[in-house]
Amino acid sequence: MRRFHPRWLPTSLAGPTLGLCVATLLFLLLSRPWNSRAALTADILLVVQIAAAVAVAAIAARTATGTRRTICLAIAIAASFAFLGRLSWTVFVIQNGAAPVRPLLEATTGAIMQFSITIGLLAVLARHRHRNWMRFEALTDALLLSVAVSMLVVQADIGMSENAGASPLLRFFAIAWNILAAANMVLVTLLLIWRGDAIGLRIASGLSLGLVTLALANFLYSRLVLLDGLPVPRSVFGLWTLTEIFLVYAISPRLKQPLAESRESPMYESESAKVRTFSIVAAILIASWSGASLAFGGTPSPLLGVALLVFGVLLALRAGHALFTQQRTTVVLEHVALAERELSGILEQRVALRTEELAEAHRVLQRMWALGQQIALELSPAKVLQRFLEASVDVLRADGGAIGLVSDERISITTTYGQGDALAGASFAVQESTLGRVTRNGNPWTTNDAGAERAGQDVLLCTDARGLVAIPLHRRAERIGAMMLFVRERRTITDREMAHVEAMADLLSVALANAELVETLRKAEWRFRTLFRAAPDAVLTVLQSGRIREANDAVQDLVGLQPVQLVGRMLEDLVLPEDRSHLADQVARVMDGEEARFEVRMWHGHGVRIASLAARLLPEADPPQMLVVGRDMTADREMRSRLAESERLASAGELLAGVAHEVNNPLSTISAFAQLLERDQLTESQRESVEVIRSETMRASQVVRDLLTFARRSEGEVGSICMNELVERTMRLRMHDLKSRGVECETALTEDLPYVTADARQIQQVLLNLLTNASQAMTPTGGGSLRIATRLDGEQVLLEITDSGPGIPAEVRAHIFEPFFTTKDDGTGLGLSVSYGIIAAHGGTITIPKSTAEGTTFRVSLPAYDPAGRTSGGVATVLATPSPLAGMRMLFVTSDSTMRGSVQAFARLRGFRVTSASDGAAALACVRSEAFDLAVCDLDAPGLRAPGFISSLRSEQPPLARKLLFLNASAGDEAAFQVRSLAKPFELDLMEGAAAGVLNLGRRVSGATVMQS
């Protein structure tokens, strides 16, 4: 700790003081002659030197600590008394002009100065950091040695000649000067031996030389000045000056190194014993020399003899005490050695035991760390339990274990290991099993003898188990079961082992909770991904920059690109340049937190689609992004235009019916007057003219009736129709239009053609659609020829329409029956798809057997109607009998859009409902959104052969999974899926019968009675 130093006090006066001393020495050497004036000058210089030395010592005492501070303080006090004595001498000389003879005051201050140094040295020697008895013995030995030296000095003084002029008191002080000087030299010697490492080389050398020169100066001063009354010699001034130089050098700090804390190194017992031995031996030798000198010397001194006798007795007592102390120390050391040996053995045993415990703890920690690493990577609760059980068996050094989970008042063994395999798959009542009781009360249970305890049924199955441990298991503060560990040998389970297993159970609780959360998150993500991918609308996530981050499968229908092709692209690249500014404005609105609904035109290959987009900002998304849901509105817009066209046609039909009704009245009048004219007497030419008028009137009336029949709104009516009559009636309606287009018509109708059971209006609509398409195909070439033929082909009535147009390309024929597919600028794309559905609903087919550059032939095939009921009338039978699927809901899955349309049209005629899907994902989405009675699945559709489709269907809709009918299934598929199948191509009535068989609703419907119209 650094001491406070006043600002007014200089940091060091050592330099000026040493300079003054050197100047004094030069004055003493160079002053010639040596007289009273030179002596007075030397006295003044000496007084100033001593005052400066006092200041140096005081400053050093304030800045130093420990041993050094004690030395500096002693020197400051001694120098103060020296200053008083020398100042009194100098004042006397100045006042009286002569030196005092035998000065008693200076003798007194000099003795006090020597005594101050002695006290300081004793205080330094007493600064031991050991027990008090060691400090007392060291001081005693030092005092004995000092007394011995003092007796030697006294004896030397007594042996000198006595001076009759000196008073006894002055002689006492003179002897005291020499005795204390000798004692100080002895103490300095002991100080160098004991504390030399603490005080340092600088203080040791300076202090030793200073006290030696001081002793020589005091010896000369006491003999010459105090006893003989002579003036102070020049040598005494020189020795005093050297003393000040040595002492100031000793206590002055080095430059940039303040006099700080001394190193208080401890003194050990062996070192103290050496010093005590040296002190005692030196005192004995000095006392022996003094006694011999007294015995063989000159004048005997009784007082000195008594002193020597007393000192001898003290030395004997001190030597005896030292020997006794040494013996006692030896005994104590022997006992200490024995105690240390016993303690060492105990410590070795405890260290071995502790080492074993630490090794076991390290093994347990390593196993727990390994368990933590394993279960952190496991997401399955079953695997987590298995890992935990194996680790618990290893930590407890058990022979096996089992884990039971509670469910419905029973505990089922779900995980086993080792000896616990005997319980694999077992189930017990909670109250009758040890695991169940531990689960209920929540307290661990252990025993070292399972046979002596009241064990449950689970323990009885493990006949080899002796030691048992049962620990309850928790998950989110809920007891879910218990774990039991088995030990074959009888062994007591310690509390530490129980604590290890319970700590692992706590780790398991966290792991199970995490696994459950991960499983829940996985299922939620799976549901989200399923909904995301199966969504019928296009769904995208778009970053703030406009870059697409994610897209679902429906995007392909909107923009014609795969989802992986869209990720990373800019959304504006998919939009027409004219709509990009509108898109940017809406994106900015969404990023500001608003919702937006807008329409843009998007590229779809080389075409354009109209997309309706709904966008909103995703909450807490990092980086910010928005969710965009898009729907293709192109078909909707086309449908709206088609509906408007249908409404316009319906209005035109109503107008046509009104016009036909108005035209029919004058035609009736003309016909009546023509019949009246025929009754008159007419010439042959007149009669032919009237016959022409009447026949043309009848033909016009028939056309009007056909128009009324076509335009009249009515519900569908199934009956037996003649295909030839239907063709003739339809041709009358279209003949004028065909001739205006330059089309030459030819009919080849087979006589005695069987009837067909159908809706006449729907079949006429099919024929009109085919005639319209044929005439439009021949119009660009200025007309052509059109041939309509009917014939019988086995049990099928065929209708063929052949034109001389340019033909249909192969790539167009593949999609010609798809809804909204058209190659005409003003076409609707609905005519042929509707016709296909109507014919398929009637159990027939519509095909293109030939299409070349010379023309195209459309063939319509319908089942012939047998009135005797000997043969199947195809759709006639089906339409004439109630459907076994009436009121049912069927899911029909196929990638063929034409087949989906035909089945839906057939279902409408038969009175049941069909929901269609194009692939497995769409089918699962339909199953999750509505209920179905059965499902017909085409295995060629995407995703239906995947194991995930059947497994998902069986897990989510078990009743529906038992009512499946597969199309295009191989023998391997039937064996794998264990369901019924129907080969393609198939008749619609056969599919209806197979579906009825799946539902177990009765017999096949193909042999039912035919309903006639």
Side-chain angles (χ1 to χ4, degrees):
M1 180 177 177
R2 191 165 184 176
R3 297 180 179 274
F4 174 75
H5 186 80
R7 295 182 178 180
W8 55 268
L9 192 62
T11 57
S12 177
L13 293 176
T17 303
L18 292 176
L20 182 60
C21 293
V22 171
T24 303
L25 288 177
L26 293 176
F27 172 76
L28 294 174
L29 292 174
L30 299 177
S31 62
R32 292 290 187 275
W34 183 257
N35 51 24
S36 59
R37 185 180 296 275
L40 179 60
T41 303
D43 283 334
I44 294 174
L45 291 175
L46 188 60
V47 169
V48 176
Q49 291 174 13
I50 295 175
V54 172
V56 171
I59 294 174
R62 293 187 61 85
T63 58
T65 58
T67 299
R68 296 180 182 180
R69 184 170 183 270
T70 304
I71 293 175
C72 293
L73 189 60
I75 292 175
I77 296 173
S80 299
F81 285 102
F83 173 76
L84 292 176
R86 204 63 209 161
L87 181 62
S88 64
W89 175 283
T90 304
V91 170
F92 184 85
V93 171
I94 294 173
Q95 289 178 352
N96 300 316
V101 179
R102 299 183 181 92
L104 181 60
L105 179 59
E106 189 172 8
T108 304
T109 56
I112 295 174
M113 177 194 68
Q114 294 284 3
F115 186 72
S116 298
I117 295 175
T118 302
I119 295 300
L121 294 175
L122 289 176
V124 172
L125 290 174
R127 289 182 59 84
H128 288 293
R129 298 186 182 273
H130 291 288
R131 292 170 291 180
N132 292 329
W133 65 270
M134 294 179 62
R135 185 179 303 172
F136 173 76
E137 289 189 353
L139 292 176
T140 302
D141 295 336
L143 288 175
L144 286 175
L145 184 58
S146 299
V147 170
V149 173
S150 300
M151 292 180 63
L152 187 62
V153 172
V154 170
Q155 187 177 359
D157 288 338
I158 293 176
M160 295 180 179
S161 60
E162 295 183 359
N163 192 325
S167 63
L169 183 58
L170 195 60
R171 290 183 60 82
F172 170 76
F173 280 120
I175 295 174
W177 276 38
N178 295 328
I179 291 174
L180 291 175
N184 288 339
M185 286 190 291
V186 172
L187 292 177
V188 166
T189 303
L190 296 177
L191 179 62
L192 295 179
I193 295 174
W194 285 352
R195 309 294 292 164
D197 56 345
I199 62 178
L201 178 62
R202 186 184 184 93
I203 294 181
S205 58
L207 189 62
S208 301
L209 294 174
L211 292 180
V212 168
T213 55
L214 179 62
L216 292 176
N218 289 345
F219 179 77
L220 294 176
Y221 187 82
S222 64
R223 302 300 295 176
L224 298 176
V225 178
L226 296 182
L227 297 180
D228 295 341
L230 297 177
V232 179
R234 185 186 303 186
S235 60
V236 173
F237 284 108
L239 290 174
W240 278 342
T241 303
L242 288 175
T243 298
E244 290 188 20
I245 291 175
F246 291 142
L247 293 180
V248 169
Y249 167 78
I251 63 176
S252 62
R254 294 183 180 180
L255 186 63
K256 297 184 180 179
Q257 276 192 343
L259 201 61
E261 178 71 30
S262 60
R263 294 178 290 115
E264 297 290 339
S265 60
M267 172 176 269
Y268 298 100
E269 179 63 22
S270 59
E271 298 176 355
S272 179
K274 292 179 182 179
V275 175
R276 289 199 305 270
T277 303
F278 169 76
S279 302
I280 294 173
V281 170
I284 290 174
L285 290 176
I286 293 173
S288 300
W289 173 262
S290 299
S293 299
L294 183 63
F296 298 102
T299 305
S301 175
L303 183 59
L304 184 58
V306 172
L308 285 174
L309 179 62
V310 174
F311 183 71
V313 173
L314 291 176
L315 283 177
L317 292 176
R318 179 67 187 98
H321 178 265
L323 292 176
F324 174 74
T325 303
Q326 185 66 29
Q327 181 182 4
R328 186 180 63 180
T329 303
T330 303
V331 173
V332 170
L333 289 177
E334 290 177 355
H335 287 291
V336 169
L338 291 176
E340 288 180 351
R341 192 176 296 113
E342 293 178 359
L343 182 61
S344 177
I346 295 173
L347 289 177
E348 288 178 357
Q349 294 178 358
R350 292 186 178 180
V351 167
L353 180 61
R354 187 60 177 168
T355 302
E356 183 179 355
E357 292 177 355
L358 290 176
E360 177 66 16
H362 183 261
R363 184 186 72 85
V364 171
L365 288 176
Q366 277 190 329
R367 193 64 181 89
M368 293 179 68
W369 180 84
L371 174 63
Q373 294 294 107
Q374 292 173 349
I375 63 180
L377 301 176
E378 292 289 354
L379 301 180
S380 172
K383 293 184 179 180
V384 170
L385 290 175
Q386 185 66 40
R387 299 288 190 187
F388 168 71
L389 182 60
E390 294 174 0
S392 300
V393 170
D394 184 18
V395 167
L396 201 62
R397 301 183 187 275
D399 298 309
I403 293 178
L405 301 181
V406 174
S407 177
D408 297 333
E409 296 299 324
R410 295 190 66 82
I411 188 164
S412 302
I413 306 301
T414 59
T415 309
T416 60
Y417 181 74
Q419 189 179 357
D421 290 339
L423 298 176
S427 179
F428 310 96
V430 173
Q431 296 298 334
E432 297 176 359
S433 63
T434 302
L435 288 173
R437 291 196 292 266
V438 170
T439 303
R440 280 294 178 84
N441 57 41
N443 297 321
W445 176 78
T446 180
T447 180
N448 57 3
D449 188 3
E453 296 284 346
R454 177 178 171 271
Q457 295 179 357
D458 47 1
V459 176
L460 297 179
L461 291 179
C462 299
T463 56
D464 296 337
R466 290 295 178 266
L468 296 177
V469 175
I471 301 293
L473 302 180
H474 299 79
R475 181 182 60 196
R476 294 183 180 177
E478 175 189 1
R479 288 194 293 272
I480 60 173
M483 176 187 66
M484 182 178 293
L485 302 178
F486 306 96
V487 181
R488 288 194 180 94
E489 300 177 356
R490 183 177 299 176
R491 177 163 67 93
T492 301
I493 307 301
T494 64
D495 294 339
R496 181 178 286 105
E497 291 174 329
M498 289 290 292
H500 291 163
V501 179
E502 290 178 358
M504 296 178 67
D506 295 338
L507 181 63
L508 173 67
S509 175
V510 177
L512 287 177
N514 292 339
E516 183 181 11
L517 291 176
V518 170
E519 182 68 16
T520 302
L521 181 62
R522 187 188 65 81
K523 290 181 179 179
E525 183 180 5
W526 179 83
R527 287 193 297 269
F528 167 76
R529 289 294 176 185
T530 301
L531 293 174
F532 179 78
R533 293 182 62 87
D537 295 330
V539 181
L540 306 95
T541 56
V542 183
L543 298 174
Q544 188 174 9
S545 61
R547 196 171 300 278
I548 299 173
R549 185 174 185 180
E550 201 170 10
N552 70 339
D553 296 339
V555 175
Q556 184 177 1
D557 298 333
L558 182 61
V559 297
L561 297 175
Q562 295 287 342
V564 294
Q565 296 176 296
L566 291 177
V567 175
R569 295 186 60 177
M570 299 297 293
L571 181 61
E572 63 179 10
D573 295 341
L574 308 177
V575 179
L576 268 64
E578 296 82 0
D579 294 345
R580 289 178 182 175
S581 59
H582 179 55
L583 174 66
D585 295 339
Q586 299 301 323
V587 169
R589 283 184 54 202
V590 173
M591 286 302 173
D592 290 338
E594 302 181 19
E595 295 185 4
R597 293 179 180 272
F598 55 97
E599 290 186 356
V600 292
R601 290 170 295 173
M602 307 185 74
W603 294 110
H604 186 278
H606 297 290
V608 176
R609 295 288 179 90
I610 300 174
S612 176
L613 303 181
R616 63 174 299 174
L617 188 66
L618 287 176
E620 300 181 3
D622 186 20
Q625 51 190 295
M626 62 179 179
L627 179 68
V628 180
V629 179
R631 176 172 296 180
D632 188 359
M633 301 300 294
T634 307
D636 183 71
R637 293 296 177 84
E638 293 179 354
M639 182 64 72
R640 290 180 183 179
S641 62
R642 302 300 179 268
L643 290 176
E645 182 68 17
S646 298
E647 293 294 334
R648 188 180 64 81
L649 292 175
S651 300
E654 294 177 358
L655 178 62
L656 180 63
V659 171
H661 180 72
E662 294 297 329
V663 170
N664 199 30
N665 293 329
L667 287 177
S668 300
T669 304
I670 294 173
S671 175
F673 278 102
Q675 294 177 20
L676 292 174
L677 288 175
E678 284 181 347
R679 296 181 181 182
D680 293 339
Q681 297 296 327
L682 300 175
T683 62
E684 186 64 28
S685 61
Q686 289 175 341
R687 187 172 295 279
E688 290 177 1
S689 298
V690 171
E691 181 66 27
V692 170
I693 292 173
R694 190 180 65 81
S695 62
E696 291 299 321
T697 301
M698 294 299 296
R699 191 168 69 87
S701 297
Q702 184 63 39
V703 171
V704 170
R705 283 195 299 270
D706 292 340
L707 287 174
L708 289 174
T709 301
F710 180 76
R712 187 179 296 117
R713 295 178 179 269
S714 63
E715 297 295 330
E717 182 179 352
V718 178
S720 298
I721 62 174
C722 178
M723 186 62 70
N724 292 339
E725 294 180 356
L726 183 65
V727 171
E728 292 174 351
R729 187 166 63 247
T730 306
M731 288 299 297
R732 286 196 296 267
L733 292 174
R734 296 291 299 170
M735 184 60 68
H736 176 73
D737 180 66
L738 293 174
K739 288 183 178 180
S740 64
R741 295 176 181 267
V743 177
E744 296 292 335
C745 296
E746 176 188 357
T747 58
L749 306 178
T750 302
E751 297 181 357
D752 299 329
L753 194 66
Y755 283 74
V756 295
T757 303
D759 187 338
R761 295 182 181 278
Q762 292 184 357
I763 300 301
Q764 186 181 28
Q765 180 180 355
V766 172
L767 182 55
L768 284 172
N769 289 337
L770 295 177
L771 293 175
T772 301
N773 288 341
S775 65
Q776 290 177 351
M778 292 183 289
T779 299
T781 61
S785 61
L786 178 65
R787 184 175 186 274
I788 300 96
T790 60
R791 60 187 175 90
L792 181 64
D793 183 12
E795 297 181 355
Q796 300 289 322
V797 175
L798 303 182
L799 171 64
E800 294 179 343
I801 297 94
T802 304
D803 61 61
S804 59
I808 304 174
E811 61 273 12
V812 176
R813 286 201 302 270
H815 305 282
I816 198 168
F817 293 110
E818 293 181 1
F820 305 111
F821 178 82
T822 181
T823 58
K824 295 176 288 187
D825 295 337
D826 56 347
T828 62
L830 296 175
L832 290 178
S833 64
V834 171
S835 300
Y836 186 93
I838 291 174
I839 298 303
H842 285 77
T845 59
I846 179 171
T847 59
I848 306 176
K850 184 188 73 170
S851 181
T852 63
E854 287 76 21
T856 301
T857 298
F858 279 85
R859 178 181 295 164
V860 177
S861 175
L862 291 171
Y865 168 58
D866 185 4
R870 293 186 300 270
T871 59
S872 175
V875 75
T877 303
V878 177
L879 295 175
T881 58
S883 173
L885 302 180
M888 298 293 178
R889 297 169 65 89
M890 176 194 293
L891 174 63
F892 189 75
V893 186
T894 182
S895 58
D896 190 346
S897 60
T898 305
M899 185 181 296
R900 293 199 301 268
S902 62
V903 171
Q904 286 177 328
F906 179 74
R908 286 193 296 270
L909 291 174
R910 298 293 289 153
F912 62 93
R913 181 179 175 184
V914 171
T915 299
S916 62
S918 61
D919 53 24
L924 288 177
C926 293
V927 168
R928 296 185 182 108
S929 61
E930 56 181 311
F932 296 97
D933 299 296
L934 75 158
V936 179
C937 303
D938 186 359
L939 287 181
D940 289 337
L944 263 66
R945 293 185 186 272
F949 173 74
I950 296 298
S951 60
S952 299
L953 193 62
R954 287 175 176 171
S955 62
E956 297 180 12
Q957 295 290 339
L960 182 61
R962 293 191 293 269
K963 297 177 182 180
L964 295 178
L965 176 62
F966 279 176
L967 305 179
N968 202 31
S970 62
D973 295 331
E974 294 181 4
F977 298 116
Q978 297 181 357
V979 294
R980 295 187 181 185
S981 64
L982 186 64
K984 294 172 60 177
F986 58 86
E987 299 293 339
L988 292 176
D989 60 333
L990 296 179
M991 183 203 71
E992 185 181 28
V998 170
L999 289 173
N1000 295 323
L1001 295 180
R1003 60 184 180 84
R1004 295 281 297 273
V1005 298
S1006 57
T1009 305
V1010 177
M1011 179 185 295
Q1012 296 184 7
S1013 58

